[in-house]
Amino acid sequence: MKKSLYIKFVIFCLFLGFIGFFTVSLLGPILVKRHLESVYSTNLYREASDIAQNRASLYYQNETSANSVFSSLKTVSQYQDIEIWLISPQGAILLSSSQDMNTASTKTIENFNPGHNSGSYYQVGSFYGCFKEEQLSVMVPVSWQMKIQGYVAMHLPMSVLLEQQSHIMNIIYILITIVFLIMLLILVGFSFMIYRPLKKIIAGADAFASGDLKYNIPVNSQDEMGYLALTLNYMSDELDKMGEYQRKFVANVSHDFRSPLTSIKGYTEAILDGTIPVEMQDKYLNIVVYETDRLYKLTQSLLTLNDMDEKGRLLDYTNFDINHVIKTTAASFEGTCREKRISIELLLTGQNLYANADMGKIQQVLYNLIDNAIKFSPSESVIKIETSLKHETIFVSVKDSGCGIPKSSLNKIWDRFYKIDSSRGKDRKGTGLGLSIVKEIIRSHNQNINVISTEGVGTEFIFTLAKANDNNSNK
Protein backbone atom coordinates (compact mmCIF):
# COMPACT_ATOMS: atom_id res chain seq x y z
CA MET A 1 0.00 0.00 0.00
CA LYS A 2 1.40 3.38 -0.98
CA LYS A 3 1.95 5.89 1.80
CA SER A 4 1.62 8.95 -0.43
CA LEU A 5 -0.97 10.69 1.76
CA TYR A 6 1.04 10.27 4.95
CA ILE A 7 4.32 11.27 3.26
CA LYS A 8 2.64 14.31 1.71
CA PHE A 9 1.33 15.35 5.11
CA VAL A 10 4.78 14.95 6.75
CA ILE A 11 6.48 16.85 3.93
CA PHE A 12 3.86 19.59 4.15
CA CYS A 13 4.40 19.97 7.90
CA LEU A 14 8.19 20.10 7.52
CA PHE A 15 7.92 22.52 4.61
CA LEU A 16 5.53 24.70 6.56
CA GLY A 17 7.90 24.73 9.52
CA PHE A 18 10.91 25.56 7.32
CA ILE A 19 9.08 28.34 5.48
CA GLY A 20 7.88 29.78 8.77
CA PHE A 21 11.36 29.71 10.34
CA PHE A 22 12.98 31.14 7.17
CA THR A 23 10.42 33.92 6.90
CA VAL A 24 10.76 34.92 10.54
CA SER A 25 14.59 34.78 10.35
CA LEU A 26 14.62 36.92 7.20
CA LEU A 27 11.92 39.48 7.90
CA GLY A 28 11.73 39.33 11.69
CA PRO A 29 14.90 41.34 12.52
CA ILE A 30 14.01 44.03 9.95
CA LEU A 31 10.45 44.44 11.20
CA VAL A 32 11.51 44.37 14.86
CA LYS A 33 14.25 46.97 14.23
CA ARG A 34 11.81 49.26 12.45
CA HIS A 35 9.33 48.90 15.26
CA LEU A 36 11.96 49.69 17.91
CA GLU A 37 13.21 52.69 15.93
CA SER A 38 9.65 54.00 15.68
CA VAL A 39 8.92 53.50 19.39
CA TYR A 40 12.24 54.93 20.67
CA SER A 41 12.32 57.84 18.19
CA THR A 42 8.77 58.80 19.16
CA ASN A 43 9.70 58.85 22.85
CA LEU A 44 12.87 60.80 22.17
CA TYR A 45 11.06 63.32 19.99
CA ARG A 46 8.41 63.81 22.65
CA GLU A 47 11.08 64.37 25.32
CA ALA A 48 13.12 66.69 23.07
CA SER A 49 10.03 68.78 22.25
CA ASP A 50 9.29 69.12 25.96
CA ILE A 51 12.83 70.34 26.66
CA ALA A 52 12.79 72.71 23.69
CA GLN A 53 9.48 74.33 24.71
CA ASN A 54 9.75 74.41 28.48
CA ARG A 55 13.47 74.72 29.25
CA ALA A 56 15.65 75.74 26.30
CA SER A 57 13.29 78.51 25.17
CA LEU A 58 13.51 80.09 28.64
CA TYR A 59 17.28 80.15 28.27
CA TYR A 60 17.05 82.17 25.06
CA GLN A 61 14.52 84.45 26.70
CA ASN A 62 17.04 85.10 29.50
CA GLU A 63 14.54 83.81 32.02
CA THR A 64 16.81 81.02 33.22
CA SER A 65 20.52 80.38 33.38
CA ALA A 66 22.66 78.00 31.33
CA ASN A 67 23.46 76.07 34.51
CA SER A 68 19.76 75.43 35.12
CA VAL A 69 19.24 74.19 31.57
CA PHE A 70 22.38 72.01 31.79
CA SER A 71 21.14 70.52 35.05
CA SER A 72 17.82 69.61 33.42
CA LEU A 73 19.59 68.04 30.44
CA LYS A 74 21.86 66.07 32.77
CA THR A 75 18.91 64.73 34.80
CA VAL A 76 16.96 63.60 31.72
CA SER A 77 20.12 62.09 30.19
CA GLN A 78 20.89 59.97 33.26
CA TYR A 79 17.28 58.85 33.64
CA GLN A 80 16.86 57.69 30.03
CA ASP A 81 20.50 56.71 29.30
CA ILE A 82 20.73 59.11 26.35
CA GLU A 83 22.95 61.99 25.33
CA ILE A 84 21.38 65.47 24.94
CA TRP A 85 22.88 68.48 23.15
CA LEU A 86 21.83 72.09 22.84
CA ILE A 87 23.09 73.23 19.41
CA SER A 88 23.21 76.72 17.91
CA PRO A 89 21.81 77.38 14.40
CA GLN A 90 25.42 77.40 13.10
CA GLY A 91 26.11 73.91 14.52
CA ALA A 92 28.00 74.83 17.69
CA ILE A 93 27.37 72.45 20.62
CA LEU A 94 26.49 74.86 23.40
CA LEU A 95 25.58 72.26 26.03
CA SER A 96 26.24 68.51 26.18
CA SER A 97 24.93 66.15 28.86
CA SER A 98 28.01 63.94 28.40
CA GLN A 99 30.47 66.73 29.32
CA ASP A 100 30.90 69.19 32.15
CA MET A 101 29.40 72.65 31.98
CA ASN A 102 31.90 74.77 30.01
CA THR A 103 30.40 77.28 27.61
CA ALA A 104 33.81 78.73 26.72
CA SER A 105 35.02 75.61 24.85
CA THR A 106 32.33 74.82 22.30
CA LYS A 107 32.62 72.35 19.44
CA THR A 108 31.21 73.09 16.03
CA ILE A 109 29.62 70.33 13.97
CA GLU A 110 31.03 70.29 10.46
CA ASN A 111 28.57 70.41 7.55
CA PHE A 112 25.69 70.89 9.96
CA ASN A 113 22.49 71.07 7.95
CA PRO A 114 19.25 70.63 9.97
CA GLY A 115 17.11 70.56 6.81
CA HIS A 116 18.81 67.62 5.08
CA ASN A 117 16.56 65.02 6.78
CA SER A 118 13.28 66.74 6.05
CA GLY A 119 10.36 64.37 6.03
CA SER A 120 11.65 62.35 8.99
CA TYR A 121 11.92 63.41 12.59
CA TYR A 122 14.78 61.01 13.33
CA GLN A 123 17.96 59.74 11.69
CA VAL A 124 20.23 56.76 12.18
CA GLY A 125 23.96 57.22 11.76
CA SER A 126 26.98 59.05 13.15
CA PHE A 127 25.16 62.44 13.28
CA TYR A 128 27.46 64.37 10.89
CA GLY A 129 30.48 62.31 11.94
CA CYS A 130 30.21 63.18 15.63
CA PHE A 131 29.99 59.53 16.79
CA LYS A 132 31.98 56.43 15.95
CA GLU A 133 29.01 54.22 16.83
CA GLU A 134 25.65 54.50 15.08
CA GLN A 135 23.10 56.58 16.95
CA LEU A 136 19.34 57.05 16.81
CA SER A 137 19.10 60.84 16.78
CA VAL A 138 16.21 63.30 16.94
CA MET A 139 16.48 67.06 16.68
CA VAL A 140 13.84 69.61 17.65
CA PRO A 141 14.21 73.38 16.96
CA VAL A 142 14.03 75.95 19.79
CA SER A 143 11.94 78.91 18.59
CA TRP A 144 11.48 82.42 20.04
CA GLN A 145 10.10 85.53 18.40
CA MET A 146 9.37 83.61 15.17
CA LYS A 147 13.04 82.69 14.80
CA ILE A 148 14.95 79.44 15.40
CA GLN A 149 17.38 80.14 18.25
CA GLY A 150 18.90 76.65 18.37
CA TYR A 151 18.22 72.90 18.45
CA VAL A 152 17.76 70.26 21.09
CA ALA A 153 19.31 66.97 19.87
CA MET A 154 18.97 63.60 21.59
CA HIS A 155 21.15 60.57 20.78
CA LEU A 156 20.55 56.94 21.71
CA PRO A 157 23.18 54.31 20.77
CA MET A 158 21.83 51.81 18.24
CA SER A 159 23.48 49.10 20.32
CA VAL A 160 20.62 49.55 22.80
CA LEU A 161 18.08 48.90 20.05
CA LEU A 162 20.07 45.98 18.66
CA GLU A 163 20.19 44.45 22.12
CA GLN A 164 16.42 44.82 22.41
CA GLN A 165 16.06 43.40 18.89
CA SER A 166 18.15 40.37 19.79
CA HIS A 167 16.15 39.79 22.96
CA ILE A 168 12.81 39.95 21.08
CA MET A 169 14.07 37.69 18.29
CA ASN A 170 15.24 35.11 20.84
CA ILE A 171 11.73 35.07 22.29
CA ILE A 172 10.28 34.65 18.77
CA TYR A 173 12.69 31.80 18.00
CA ILE A 174 11.68 30.06 21.22
CA LEU A 175 8.03 30.43 20.30
CA ILE A 176 8.70 29.09 16.79
CA THR A 177 10.51 26.10 18.30
CA ILE A 178 7.57 25.45 20.62
CA VAL A 179 5.14 25.72 17.69
CA PHE A 180 7.30 23.35 15.64
CA LEU A 181 7.37 20.84 18.51
CA ILE A 182 3.57 21.15 18.76
CA MET A 183 3.36 20.41 15.04
CA LEU A 184 5.50 17.32 15.57
CA LEU A 185 3.16 16.22 18.37
CA ILE A 186 0.20 16.82 16.05
CA LEU A 187 1.97 14.73 13.42
CA VAL A 188 2.49 11.92 15.93
CA GLY A 189 -1.13 12.21 17.03
CA PHE A 190 -2.23 12.15 13.38
CA SER A 191 -0.20 8.99 12.86
CA PHE A 192 -1.74 7.18 15.84
CA MET A 193 -5.30 8.54 15.71
CA ILE A 194 -5.93 8.89 11.98
CA TYR A 195 -3.26 7.34 9.75
CA ARG A 196 -2.96 3.97 11.49
CA PRO A 197 -6.74 3.38 11.68
CA LEU A 198 -7.03 4.62 8.10
CA LYS A 199 -4.34 2.15 7.02
CA LYS A 200 -6.27 -0.67 8.70
CA ILE A 201 -9.49 0.47 7.03
CA ILE A 202 -7.76 0.57 3.62
CA ALA A 203 -6.37 -2.93 4.25
CA GLY A 204 -9.90 -4.07 5.09
CA ALA A 205 -11.30 -2.44 1.95
CA ASP A 206 -8.64 -4.23 -0.12
CA ALA A 207 -9.60 -7.52 1.54
CA PHE A 208 -13.28 -6.90 0.79
CA ALA A 209 -12.46 -5.99 -2.81
CA SER A 210 -10.51 -9.25 -3.22
CA GLY A 211 -13.53 -11.23 -1.99
CA ASP A 212 -12.54 -11.86 1.63
CA LEU A 213 -15.80 -10.72 3.20
CA LYS A 214 -15.02 -12.46 6.50
CA TYR A 215 -12.17 -10.03 7.20
CA ASN A 216 -12.79 -7.85 10.29
CA ILE A 217 -11.21 -4.39 10.42
CA PRO A 218 -9.54 -4.14 13.88
CA VAL A 219 -10.46 -0.52 14.68
CA ASN A 220 -12.45 -0.13 17.91
CA SER A 221 -12.18 3.60 18.62
CA GLN A 222 -15.30 5.61 19.42
CA ASP A 223 -14.68 8.33 16.82
CA GLU A 224 -15.48 8.70 13.14
CA MET A 225 -12.74 6.21 12.19
CA GLY A 226 -14.23 3.61 14.52
CA TYR A 227 -17.69 4.29 13.12
CA LEU A 228 -16.38 3.93 9.56
CA ALA A 229 -14.67 0.63 10.43
CA LEU A 230 -17.82 -0.62 12.18
CA THR A 231 -19.92 0.34 9.16
CA LEU A 232 -17.55 -1.41 6.74
CA ASN A 233 -17.48 -4.52 8.94
CA TYR A 234 -21.28 -4.53 9.03
CA MET A 235 -21.37 -4.04 5.25
CA SER A 236 -19.00 -6.99 4.71
CA ASP A 237 -21.09 -9.18 7.01
CA GLU A 238 -24.26 -8.25 5.14
CA LEU A 239 -22.59 -8.84 1.77
CA ASP A 240 -21.33 -12.20 3.02
CA LYS A 241 -24.82 -13.13 4.20
CA MET A 242 -26.26 -11.93 0.90
CA GLY A 243 -23.74 -13.98 -1.04
CA GLU A 244 -24.56 -17.05 1.04
CA TYR A 245 -28.25 -16.37 0.57
CA GLN A 246 -27.82 -16.01 -3.19
CA ARG A 247 -25.93 -19.29 -3.37
CA LYS A 248 -28.68 -21.04 -1.41
CA PHE A 249 -31.34 -19.26 -3.46
CA VAL A 250 -29.82 -20.41 -6.76
CA ALA A 251 -29.43 -23.94 -5.40
CA ASN A 252 -33.05 -24.02 -4.21
CA VAL A 253 -34.41 -22.57 -7.44
CA SER A 254 -32.34 -25.04 -9.44
CA HIS A 255 -33.60 -27.92 -7.31
CA ASP A 256 -37.25 -26.85 -7.50
CA PHE A 257 -37.06 -26.32 -11.27
CA ARG A 258 -35.05 -29.47 -11.98
CA SER A 259 -37.57 -31.93 -10.53
CA PRO A 260 -40.64 -30.88 -12.60
CA LEU A 261 -38.51 -30.26 -15.71
CA THR A 262 -37.07 -33.76 -15.42
CA SER A 263 -40.58 -35.22 -15.18
CA ILE A 264 -41.84 -33.15 -18.12
CA LYS A 265 -38.82 -34.05 -20.27
CA GLY A 266 -38.98 -37.76 -19.38
CA TYR A 267 -42.70 -38.21 -19.95
CA THR A 268 -42.69 -36.13 -23.14
CA GLU A 269 -39.82 -38.14 -24.64
CA ALA A 270 -41.52 -41.39 -23.59
CA ILE A 271 -44.71 -40.34 -25.34
CA LEU A 272 -42.82 -39.26 -28.48
CA ASP A 273 -40.74 -42.42 -28.81
CA GLY A 274 -43.74 -44.69 -28.08
CA THR A 275 -42.48 -46.03 -24.77
CA ILE A 276 -45.80 -45.02 -23.21
CA PRO A 277 -48.70 -46.65 -25.04
CA VAL A 278 -51.43 -44.44 -26.50
CA GLU A 279 -54.08 -45.60 -24.06
CA MET A 280 -51.90 -44.37 -21.11
CA GLN A 281 -50.77 -41.08 -22.63
CA ASP A 282 -53.62 -39.06 -21.07
CA LYS A 283 -52.48 -40.09 -17.61
CA TYR A 284 -48.91 -38.93 -18.17
CA LEU A 285 -49.98 -35.81 -20.02
CA ASN A 286 -51.97 -34.86 -16.90
CA ILE A 287 -48.76 -35.32 -14.89
CA VAL A 288 -46.96 -33.03 -17.36
CA VAL A 289 -49.73 -30.42 -16.96
CA TYR A 290 -49.48 -30.75 -13.17
CA GLU A 291 -45.70 -30.25 -13.21
CA THR A 292 -46.10 -27.32 -15.61
CA ASP A 293 -48.57 -25.76 -13.20
CA ARG A 294 -46.00 -26.16 -10.42
CA LEU A 295 -43.42 -24.32 -12.55
CA TYR A 296 -45.92 -21.56 -13.30
CA LYS A 297 -46.77 -21.08 -9.61
CA LEU A 298 -43.09 -21.05 -8.71
CA THR A 299 -42.35 -18.45 -11.39
CA GLN A 300 -45.25 -16.26 -10.27
CA SER A 301 -44.09 -16.46 -6.66
CA LEU A 302 -40.56 -15.43 -7.62
CA LEU A 303 -41.92 -12.46 -9.60
CA THR A 304 -44.06 -11.43 -6.62
CA LEU A 305 -41.07 -11.55 -4.30
CA ASN A 306 -39.04 -9.51 -6.77
CA ASP A 307 -41.76 -6.86 -6.80
CA MET A 308 -41.87 -6.85 -3.00
CA ASP A 309 -38.13 -6.14 -2.84
CA GLU A 310 -38.98 -2.63 -4.03
CA LYS A 311 -40.30 -1.47 -0.66
CA GLY A 312 -43.79 -0.12 -1.05
CA ARG A 313 -43.29 1.13 -4.63
CA LEU A 314 -45.94 -1.17 -6.09
CA LEU A 315 -48.52 -0.77 -3.32
CA ASP A 316 -51.91 0.70 -4.16
CA TYR A 317 -53.19 2.05 -0.84
CA THR A 318 -56.98 2.20 -0.43
CA ASN A 319 -59.47 2.16 2.43
CA PHE A 320 -61.34 -1.18 2.48
CA ASP A 321 -63.36 -3.34 4.84
CA ILE A 322 -60.94 -6.03 6.09
CA ASN A 323 -63.87 -8.05 7.47
CA HIS A 324 -65.41 -8.27 4.01
CA VAL A 325 -62.07 -9.30 2.45
CA ILE A 326 -61.67 -12.05 5.06
CA LYS A 327 -65.20 -13.36 4.34
CA THR A 328 -64.70 -13.48 0.56
CA THR A 329 -61.23 -15.04 0.85
CA ALA A 330 -62.43 -17.69 3.29
CA ALA A 331 -65.36 -18.46 0.99
CA SER A 332 -62.97 -19.33 -1.84
CA PHE A 333 -61.76 -22.34 0.21
CA GLU A 334 -65.26 -23.79 0.67
CA GLY A 335 -64.63 -26.75 -1.69
CA THR A 336 -61.25 -27.61 -0.16
CA CYS A 337 -62.65 -27.39 3.37
CA ARG A 338 -65.57 -29.63 2.42
CA GLU A 339 -63.19 -32.30 1.06
CA LYS A 340 -61.09 -32.30 4.26
CA ARG A 341 -64.11 -31.76 6.53
CA ILE A 342 -62.55 -28.57 7.97
CA SER A 343 -64.63 -25.60 9.12
CA ILE A 344 -63.58 -21.93 9.22
CA GLU A 345 -64.83 -19.84 12.16
CA LEU A 346 -64.86 -16.04 11.77
CA LEU A 347 -64.57 -13.85 14.89
CA LEU A 348 -64.73 -10.36 13.40
CA THR A 349 -64.88 -7.03 15.24
CA GLY A 350 -67.94 -5.00 14.26
CA GLN A 351 -69.95 -5.11 11.08
CA ASN A 352 -67.25 -3.19 9.22
CA LEU A 353 -63.57 -2.58 10.03
CA TYR A 354 -61.78 -0.35 7.57
CA ALA A 355 -58.04 -0.69 6.94
CA ASN A 356 -55.67 1.43 4.84
CA ALA A 357 -53.48 -0.86 2.72
CA ASP A 358 -53.16 -2.52 -0.67
CA MET A 359 -56.30 -4.69 -0.71
CA GLY A 360 -55.00 -7.07 -3.37
CA LYS A 361 -51.76 -7.72 -1.50
CA ILE A 362 -53.55 -8.23 1.83
CA GLN A 363 -55.94 -10.63 0.14
CA GLN A 364 -52.88 -12.56 -1.04
CA VAL A 365 -51.58 -12.65 2.55
CA LEU A 366 -54.89 -14.03 3.80
CA TYR A 367 -55.03 -16.58 0.98
CA ASN A 368 -51.53 -17.92 1.76
CA LEU A 369 -52.15 -18.09 5.53
CA ILE A 370 -55.54 -19.82 5.16
CA ASP A 371 -54.12 -22.19 2.53
CA ASN A 372 -51.28 -23.16 4.92
CA ALA A 373 -53.73 -23.59 7.80
CA ILE A 374 -55.90 -25.94 5.75
CA LYS A 375 -52.88 -27.81 4.40
CA PHE A 376 -51.53 -28.67 7.85
CA SER A 377 -54.82 -29.11 9.72
CA PRO A 378 -56.31 -32.56 10.32
CA SER A 379 -59.84 -33.53 9.29
CA GLU A 380 -62.72 -32.49 11.54
CA SER A 381 -60.73 -29.47 12.82
CA VAL A 382 -61.56 -25.74 13.04
CA ILE A 383 -59.60 -22.78 11.66
CA LYS A 384 -60.29 -19.51 13.47
CA ILE A 385 -59.86 -16.10 11.79
CA GLU A 386 -60.18 -13.13 14.14
CA THR A 387 -59.92 -9.35 13.84
CA SER A 388 -59.46 -6.86 16.67
CA LEU A 389 -58.73 -3.15 17.04
CA LYS A 390 -56.19 -1.77 19.53
CA HIS A 391 -54.80 1.78 19.58
CA GLU A 392 -55.79 2.55 15.94
CA THR A 393 -54.07 -0.68 14.78
CA ILE A 394 -55.96 -3.64 13.34
CA PHE A 395 -54.81 -7.12 14.37
CA VAL A 396 -55.70 -10.09 12.12
CA SER A 397 -55.21 -13.64 13.43
CA VAL A 398 -55.31 -16.95 11.50
CA LYS A 399 -55.20 -19.91 13.91
CA ASP A 400 -55.27 -23.63 13.15
CA SER A 401 -55.15 -26.77 15.29
CA GLY A 402 -52.69 -28.67 13.13
CA CYS A 403 -49.33 -30.31 13.77
CA GLY A 404 -47.58 -27.09 14.81
CA ILE A 405 -44.07 -25.85 14.00
CA PRO A 406 -40.95 -27.07 15.87
CA LYS A 407 -39.14 -24.35 17.87
CA SER A 408 -36.00 -24.92 15.82
CA SER A 409 -37.90 -23.99 12.66
CA LEU A 410 -39.80 -20.91 13.87
CA ASN A 411 -37.11 -18.49 12.71
CA LYS A 412 -36.63 -20.28 9.38
CA ILE A 413 -40.20 -20.41 8.13
CA TRP A 414 -39.83 -16.94 6.56
CA ASP A 415 -36.81 -18.05 4.49
CA ARG A 416 -37.40 -18.55 0.80
CA PHE A 417 -37.81 -22.20 -0.27
CA TYR A 418 -37.83 -23.40 3.34
CA LYS A 419 -40.22 -26.34 3.88
CA ILE A 420 -40.73 -27.86 7.29
CA ASP A 421 -41.94 -31.18 5.85
CA SER A 422 -39.82 -31.32 2.73
CA SER A 423 -38.02 -34.48 3.92
CA ARG A 424 -41.34 -36.29 4.46
CA GLY A 425 -42.89 -35.04 1.23
CA LYS A 426 -46.08 -33.76 2.90
CA ASP A 427 -45.94 -30.44 1.07
CA ARG A 428 -44.90 -31.55 -2.36
CA LYS A 429 -47.25 -29.06 -4.03
CA GLY A 430 -45.82 -26.06 -2.16
CA THR A 431 -43.05 -23.84 -3.47
CA GLY A 432 -41.65 -22.83 -0.09
CA LEU A 433 -42.23 -19.16 -0.97
CA GLY A 434 -45.68 -18.52 0.51
CA LEU A 435 -44.61 -17.27 3.93
CA SER A 436 -41.72 -15.31 2.37
CA ILE A 437 -44.26 -13.49 0.22
CA VAL A 438 -46.48 -12.88 3.26
CA LYS A 439 -43.54 -11.47 5.22
CA GLU A 440 -42.48 -9.15 2.39
CA ILE A 441 -46.02 -7.85 1.82
CA ILE A 442 -46.55 -7.02 5.49
CA ARG A 443 -43.08 -5.50 5.78
CA SER A 444 -43.66 -3.36 2.67
CA HIS A 445 -46.70 -1.92 4.50
CA ASN A 446 -44.42 -1.04 7.46
CA GLN A 447 -46.43 -3.48 9.61
CA ASN A 448 -45.55 -6.58 11.62
CA ILE A 449 -46.34 -10.28 11.49
CA ASN A 450 -45.66 -12.84 14.24
CA VAL A 451 -46.17 -16.56 14.69
CA ILE A 452 -47.11 -18.54 17.81
CA SER A 453 -46.89 -22.31 17.49
CA THR A 454 -46.83 -25.42 19.67
CA GLU A 455 -46.13 -28.86 18.25
CA GLY A 456 -49.22 -31.05 18.35
CA VAL A 457 -51.48 -28.12 19.32
CA GLY A 458 -51.50 -25.70 16.39
CA THR A 459 -50.16 -22.49 14.88
CA GLU A 460 -51.37 -18.89 14.96
CA PHE A 461 -50.20 -16.12 12.60
CA ILE A 462 -50.97 -12.54 13.68
CA PHE A 463 -50.34 -9.50 11.45
CA THR A 464 -51.18 -5.81 11.82
CA LEU A 465 -52.71 -3.22 9.51
CA ALA A 466 -53.16 0.53 9.76
CA LYS A 467 -56.71 1.62 10.52
CA ALA A 468 -58.29 3.89 7.91
CA ASN A 469 -58.87 7.51 8.88
CA ASP A 470 -62.41 7.52 7.48
CA ASN A 471 -65.16 5.02 6.74
CA ASN A 472 -64.89 5.08 2.96
CA SER A 473 -64.50 1.62 1.51
CA ASN A 474 -62.93 0.88 -1.87
CA LYS A 475 -63.64 -2.74 -2.62
Side-chain angles (χ1 to χ4, degrees):
M1 181 183 64
K2 295 182 180 180
K3 300 180 179 179
S4 58
L5 181 63
Y6 184 68
I7 293 174
K8 286 178 182 178
F9 185 76
V10 172
I11 293 175
F12 174 75
C13 290
L14 294 176
F15 177 75
L16 189 63
F18 173 77
I19 290 297
F21 184 80
F22 178 78
T23 302
V24 171
S25 299
L26 183 65
L27 299 178
I30 299 174
L31 297 177
V32 170
K33 183 180 178 183
R34 287 181 180 177
H35 176 71
L36 291 174
E37 286 180 359
S38 175
V39 171
Y40 276 94
S41 62
T42 300
N43 292 336
L44 292 178
Y45 188 84
R46 188 182 299 112
E47 192 65 37
S49 298
D50 181 69
I51 292 174
Q53 294 174 7
N54 299 322
R55 297 180 183 127
S57 61
L58 295 177
Y59 170 72
Y60 286 105
Q61 296 175 34
N62 296 320
E63 295 184 6
T64 185
S65 63
N67 287 331
S68 177
V69 175
F70 178 77
S71 177
S72 297
L73 298 182
K74 197 76 172 177
T75 300
V76 175
S77 174
Q78 291 176 351
Y79 178 72
Q80 297 196 9
D81 195 21
I82 56 178
E83 187 169 346
I84 306 175
W85 293 352
L86 182 61
I87 307 173
S88 68
Q90 292 75 30
I93 302 175
L94 304 177
L95 298 173
S96 174
S97 63
S98 62
Q99 298 178 0
D100 294 335
M101 176 67 185
N102 187 3
T103 56
S105 57
T106 58
K107 177 183 176 181
T108 302
I109 302 172
E110 296 182 2
N111 301 320
F112 180 69
N113 183 13
H116 87 283
N117 60 338
S118 59
S120 176
Y121 59 88
Y122 73 93
Q123 58 178 294
V124 177
S126 61
F127 198 74
Y128 305 103
C130 296
F131 297 96
K132 294 181 179 181
E133 180 185 359
E134 278 195 338
Q135 303 284 320
L136 175 66
S137 304
V138 298
M139 191 166 58
V140 177
V142 181
S143 301
W144 183 60
Q145 293 183 348
M146 306 298 293
K147 293 176 62 179
I148 295 178
Q149 304 296 326
Y151 299 92
V152 174
M154 287 188 173
H155 311 286
L156 176 67
M158 285 297 295
S159 59
V160 175
L161 272 71
L162 295 177
E163 183 179 353
Q164 289 288 329
Q165 178 195 40
S166 177
H167 179 68
I168 293 174
M169 288 306 300
N170 288 336
I171 294 175
I172 293 175
Y173 289 140
I174 291 173
L175 292 175
I176 290 177
T177 304
I178 293 174
V179 171
F180 189 74
L181 291 176
I182 292 175
M183 289 181 64
L184 290 179
L185 290 176
I186 293 174
L187 186 61
V188 173
F190 171 83
S191 177
F192 279 95
M193 298 176 62
I194 298 179
Y195 178 69
R196 286 192 177 185
L198 183 61
K199 186 166 65 171
K200 294 178 181 178
I201 291 173
I202 293 174
D206 289 339
F208 300 154
S210 62
D212 184 9
L213 296 177
K214 295 188 181 298
Y215 183 86
N216 196 335
I217 301 174
V219 178
N220 299 315
S221 57
Q222 301 299 317
D223 53 11
E224 287 81 357
M225 286 294 178
Y227 178 76
L228 177 59
L230 183 65
T231 302
L232 290 176
N233 286 334
Y234 176 77
M235 178 197 70
S236 67
D237 292 340
E238 290 299 311
L239 289 175
D240 189 41
K241 292 177 182 177
M242 185 178 296
E244 184 65 26
Y245 168 76
Q246 288 177 346
R247 287 188 290 272
K248 290 182 179 179
F249 182 81
V250 171
N252 288 328
V253 170
S254 300
H255 177 271
D256 277 38
F257 271 84
R258 187 187 302 118
S259 179
L261 285 174
T262 301
S263 298
I264 293 171
K265 182 176 183 294
Y267 292 137
T268 304
E269 289 177 346
I271 292 172
L272 289 175
D273 62 19
T275 303
I276 298 176
V278 176
E279 63 271 12
M280 297 185 65
Q281 286 183 2
D282 287 345
K283 173 184 175 183
Y284 290 100
L285 285 174
N286 286 329
I287 295 176
V288 170
V289 171
Y290 171 77
E291 296 294 350
T292 305
D293 186 58
R294 282 187 61 200
L295 287 176
Y296 177 78
K297 288 176 62 178
L298 181 59
T299 304
Q300 287 298 110
S301 297
L302 288 173
L303 290 174
T304 301
L305 281 173
N306 184 65
D307 291 342
M308 286 297 99
D309 285 339
E310 301 182 15
K311 303 293 185 182
R313 289 179 58 184
L314 300 178
L315 298 180
D316 180 20
Y317 279 90
T318 57
N319 295 335
F320 61 92
D321 183 6
I322 185 63
N323 290 345
H324 177 75
V325 172
I326 291 173
K327 292 174 184 176
T328 55
T329 306
S332 66
F333 289 94
E334 182 178 349
T336 306
C337 290
R338 187 182 301 112
E339 289 177 7
K340 293 191 67 174
R341 298 191 301 277
I342 294 174
S343 61
I344 297 179
E345 182 180 349
L346 303 181
L347 303 173
L348 307 178
T349 299
Q351 291 294 325
N352 304 103
L353 184 59
Y354 290 94
N356 179 253
D358 186 321
M359 187 176 69
K361 293 292 189 295
I362 299 304
Q363 196 167 17
Q364 188 175 3
V365 168
L366 289 167
Y367 185 92
N368 286 345
L369 293 179
I370 296 173
D371 183 57
N372 270 355
I374 294 173
K375 190 182 302 177
F376 294 103
S377 292
S379 299
E380 308 295 339
S381 62
V382 178
I383 296 173
K384 295 181 179 180
I385 305 176
E386 181 180 357
T387 59
S388 59
L389 180 63
K390 297 178 182 178
H391 307 294
E392 300 301 312
T393 300
I394 298 172
F395 290 81
V396 180
S397 167
V398 178
K399 184 177 182 181
D400 64 57
S401 54
C403 58
I405 303 172
K407 288 185 178 179
S408 59
S409 300
L410 279 177
N411 293 328
K412 301 176 183 178
I413 61 173
W414 310 110
D415 296 342
R416 299 179 183 185
F417 296 103
Y418 182 77
K419 298 180 184 180
I420 300 174
D421 299 297
S422 58
S423 61
R424 296 192 290 267
K426 290 184 180 180
D427 187 22
R428 193 170 180 273
K429 293 183 180 179
T431 63
L433 296 174
L435 290 180
S436 297
I437 293 173
V438 167
K439 181 78 170 180
E440 291 299 330
I441 291 175
I442 297 300
R443 183 183 296 174
S444 67
H445 283 79
N446 295 318
Q447 298 297 322
N448 300 309
I449 183 168
N450 295 308
V451 58
I452 303 170
S453 184
T454 304
E455 284 189 89
V457 176
T459 303
E460 180 181 13
F461 287 91
I462 304 171
F463 65 90
T464 62
L465 292 173
K467 182 179 178 296
N469 291 328
D470 53 54
N471 291 328
N472 293 327
S473 174
N474 298 311
K475 293 189 266 186

